[in-house]
């Protein structure tokens, strides 16, 4: 069931992206709609990651020694410092697993 959901979501996202990115299709978005859609991805990532960050593995009580918010803060700092997505993802995952092992 989970695999079917993931594949269905992937197909839906692909079709949406294809309609807007294929240059041969006569579909054009206005400037205001394009500006509005720039906020869709950060909003979606916040909706997905927010509950994970503040619930951790047990309950909805995040503390300062919880690896989830610490790794998230590390990822934000690395992104601001390096401006490279792949570097940020790899290093923040390493920090997360190190914190899970230590804490």
């Amino acid at each position: 069931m989970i695999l079917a959901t993931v594949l269905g979501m992937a197909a839906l996202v692909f079709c949406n992206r294809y309609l807007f990115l294929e240059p041969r299709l006569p579909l054009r978005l206005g400037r205001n709609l394009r500006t509005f859609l720039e906020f869709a991805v950060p909003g979606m990532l916040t909706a997905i990651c927010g509950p994970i960050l503040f619930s951790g593995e047990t309950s909805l009580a995040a503390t300062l020694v919880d690896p989830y918010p610490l790794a998230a803060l590390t990822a934000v700092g690395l992104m601001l410092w390096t401006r490279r997505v792949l570097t940020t993802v790899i290093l923040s995952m390493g920090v997360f697993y190190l914190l899970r092992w230590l804490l």
Side-chain angles (χ1 to χ4, degrees), residues 8-22 25 27 29 37:
M9 297 284 283
L12 183 70
V13 168
F14 175 77
C15 290
N16 285 335
R17 297 290 181 182
Y18 181 76
L19 287 175
F20 295 121
L21 295 177
E22 177 60 40
L25 292 176
L27 181 63
L29 296 177
L37 287 176

Side-chain angles (χ1 to χ4, degrees), residues 3 18 31 36 38 42 51-52 64 79 81 86 98 103:
L3 182 61
Y18 181 76
R31 182 174 174 240
F36 176 73
E38 288 178 3
I52 295 170
L64 291 176
M79 191 63 202
W81 183 47
L86 186 60
L98 180 69
L103 302 176

Side-chain angles (χ1 to χ4, degrees), residues 1-10:
M1 182 67 176
I2 293 174
L3 182 61
T5 303
V6 170
L7 291 176
M9 297 284 283

Side-chain angles (χ1 to χ4, degrees), residues 22-102:
E22 177 60 40
R24 292 177 288 192
L25 292 176
L27 181 63
R28 298 290 175 251
L29 296 177
R31 182 174 174 240
N32 290 338
L33 186 57
R34 279 194 314 246
T35 303
F36 176 73
L37 287 176
E38 288 178 3
F39 296 103
V41 173
M44 181 184 63
L45 288 175
T46 302
I48 292 170
C49 295
I52 295 170
L53 290 177
F54 296 114
S55 66
E57 294 179 3
T58 56
S59 65
L60 190 63
T63 62
L64 291 176
V65 294
D66 193 12
Y68 289 93
L70 290 175
L73 288 173
T74 303
V76 169
L78 284 169
M79 191 63 202
L80 292 173
W81 183 47
T82 64
R83 305 272 184 199
R84 300 182 71 175
V85 176
L86 186 60
T87 304
T88 300
V89 168
I90 291 171
L91 290 177
S92 61
M93 282 177 55
V95 167
F96 173 72
Y97 286 118
L98 180 69
L99 288 172
R100 276 189 71 183
W101 183 67
L102 291 175

